[in-house]
Amino acid sequence: MHCVKKITSDMYWVGGSDRRLALFENVYPIPRGISYNAYLVLDEQTVLFDTVDKAVSEVFFENLAHLLGGRKLDYLVINHMEPDHAATLAELVLRYPEVKIVTSAKALQMIKNYFTFDVDGRVCTVKESDTLTTGRHTFAFVMAPMVHWPEVMVSYDTVDKVLYSADAFGTFGALDGNIFADEVNFQADYLAEARRYYANIVGKYGTQVQSLLKKAAALDIQMLCPLHGPVWRKDVAWFVEKYQMWSTYTPEENGVMIAYASVYGHTENLANIIAGKLADAGVRGVKMYDVSVTHPSYIVSEAFRVSHIVFASPPTMRASS
Ligand SMILES: [Fe+2]
Ligand SMILES: [Fe+2]
C-alpha cells in the first residue's frame, strides 16, 4: 500500500523507512532506524530524484505507481550511486523502460560497474551548471565530489528553490509520519543522530563539504531535501550552520568528553577523578564514555560536538593468563 507525502504543489516524497536494520552499512548502529528518501516531481515531464535501498523497494514502487497514475517516468536524476539509494535502479528501468537517466560522468561509470542493463542508450551525463527543464521546473546540477563519494552531485530547482542535497544534510532515524524538520523536535530527537551520521559518514571530507557549502551559499535555498531524514523548509540556515561548524572541525559547544577503557576499574577511577575535578573547576557538560560498551560511532560524533577531549586507557592491555 502506498505511503507518499506531499512536499510542494507538485513534488512528493516517495521513500520509505527501515526500522529493522540493526547496523547501517553493517557498521553503524541505528536504534531508531533510517529513512531512504526519494522525491518525485510531476511536471509536464515527470522526474524522480534518486531511488531507495532494497529494504524499502516494495513501498517505493507502490508510491511511484500510485503518483504516476499511468503516466510514464521521463527522468531519473541520480545524485548518488551508493546502493542505499541505487539498489533498485535495475528494477526501476525494467518497470519504466522509457526513463532517461541524468547523472554525472563518474556515476555513469559506476552504473556500468554495478548493473548490466543498457545504460548508454538512456543516459544523459551532466556537468557543473548544466540544466534540465521539465516544464515549469528547471533544475541545475552542482557537482559535489567526495560528499561523500566521488560521483556525487546535488540538484537545485531554480523555480521552487529546492536543493536535492544527496547525503548532505541527512540523518539517521526513521521518519515517523512527520516528514518536515519543523514538525518534529529536531534538536531533541534528531540532532545527535544527524551529527553521528555526519561525523561518521562524511566527517573526514570537511574540505569537500566546505566546497559544496560555498556553492550552496550562492543559491537561494528555501528547502533542503536530503536522502535520509526530515525535509527542511524552515530554519534552513540553522542546519547549514551546523554543517559549517562540523566541516571546519569547529566545536559546537564548550564541553569535555572523557573516553576511557578500564580493565579492573582503576582507569575508570582516574577518569571519574578527572571528571570531578573538572566539575569542581566550574566546567559544565562533562560526558564520560566507557569505550568498551560504547560503539565508536558515538565517540567520533561527540568529538565533533565538544571543545575538549580526554582519552584514558590502561598502560598495557593484553590477554591475562
Ligand atoms: Fe552515501
Ligand atoms: Fe545514503
Side-chain angles (χ1 to χ4, degrees):
M1 190 68 180
H2 68 265
C3 180
V4 302
K5 298 291 284 186
K6 190 166 189 172
I7 309 251
T8 69
S9 61
D10 60 359
M11 189 263 278
Y12 297 80
W13 177 86
V14 291
S17 283
D18 185 353
R19 297 179 184 80
R20 293 188 168 196
L21 186 66
L23 296 176
F24 180 69
E25 295 181 0
N26 221 9
V27 177
Y28 309 103
I30 43 170
R32 294 184 42 237
I34 191 161
S35 77
Y36 303 105
N37 301 339
Y39 303 92
L40 180 68
V41 178
L42 296 177
D43 204 356
E44 286 171 31
Q45 292 179 295
T46 59
V47 52
L48 174 67
F49 287 89
D50 292 291
T51 66
V52 295
D53 188 87
K54 59 179 181 244
V56 297
S57 66
E58 192 172 343
V59 73
F60 165 70
F61 283 116
E62 286 171 352
N63 287 346
L64 258 186
H66 166 72
L67 284 174
L68 287 170
R71 291 183 69 183
K72 70 177 175 135
L73 180 61
D74 293 294
Y75 293 105
L76 167 66
V77 175
I78 300 177
N79 285 318
H80 185 19
M81 266 303 292
E82 195 162 10
D84 58 328
H85 308 292
T88 49
L89 183 52
E91 187 174 344
L92 185 95
V93 169
L94 271 178
R95 289 177 182 242
Y96 300 95
E98 294 174 87
V99 70
K100 292 180 226 36
I101 295 173
V102 179
T103 195
S104 67
K106 281 203 175 78
L108 173 60
Q109 285 308 314
M110 288 186 179
I111 298 171
K112 289 178 175 177
N113 290 339
Y114 287 11
F115 298 102
T116 54
F117 63 81
D118 170 31
V119 184
D120 288 324
R122 66 178 74 250
V123 77
C124 171
T125 57
V126 289
K127 53 189 188 316
E128 188 79 22
S129 304
D130 282 354
T131 58
L132 170 70
T133 298
T134 55
R136 187 174 78 83
H137 295 267
T138 293
F139 302 97
F141 303 105
V142 177
M143 300 299 125
M146 296 318 295
V147 181
H148 61 122
W149 271 26
E151 85 295 359
V152 172
M153 63 180 199
V154 299
S155 304
Y156 177 63
D157 182 338
T158 62
V159 177
D160 285 354
K161 316 297 184 197
V162 177
L163 186 70
Y164 298 91
S165 60
D167 275 337
F169 305 108
T171 177
F172 294 136
L175 290 170
D176 300 339
N178 296 117
I179 193 164
F180 295 104
D182 58 273
E183 293 178 337
V184 300
N185 188 339
F186 191 87
Q187 289 213 42
D189 295 334
Y190 283 97
L191 178 58
E193 287 295 77
R195 183 187 304 111
R196 190 164 65 93
Y197 176 86
Y198 177 87
N200 287 277
I201 308 288
V202 192
K204 66 179 175 181
Y205 301 114
T207 306
Q208 290 86 348
V209 174
Q210 277 288 297
S211 304
L212 176 59
L213 290 178
K214 285 193 178 83
K215 291 183 193 177
L219 305 172
D220 174 14
I221 299 171
Q222 297 295 319
M223 188 176 284
L224 278 175
C225 289
L227 288 174
H228 304 282
V231 168
W232 291 79
R233 63 181 174 183
K234 289 181 184 169
D235 305 319
V236 169
W238 178 85
F239 200 34
V240 171
E241 178 59 23
K242 290 289 180 195
Y243 264 64
Q244 184 66 27
M245 284 187 278
W246 295 337
S247 60
T248 52
Y249 306 98
T250 305
E252 281 172 83
E253 298 170 26
N254 279 325
V256 181
M257 169 175 65
I258 302 175
Y260 68 91
S262 191
V263 180
Y264 290 111
H266 302 120
T267 307
E268 181 178 27
N269 192 35
L270 171 72
N272 276 319
I273 290 168
I274 293 170
K277 286 192 179 296
L278 285 168
D280 290 346
V283 175
R284 297 292 176 263
V286 179
K287 296 275 278 181
M288 297 178 63
Y289 293 92
D290 182 340
V291 299
S292 303
V293 293
T294 307
H295 190 274
S297 64
Y298 291 89
I299 308 290
V300 171
S301 180
E302 285 290 76
F304 277 72
R305 185 180 67 82
V306 298
S307 54
H308 294 76
I309 302 171
V310 176
F311 289 115
S313 78
T316 58
M317 293 185 76
R318 61 187 174 206
S320 56
S321 56

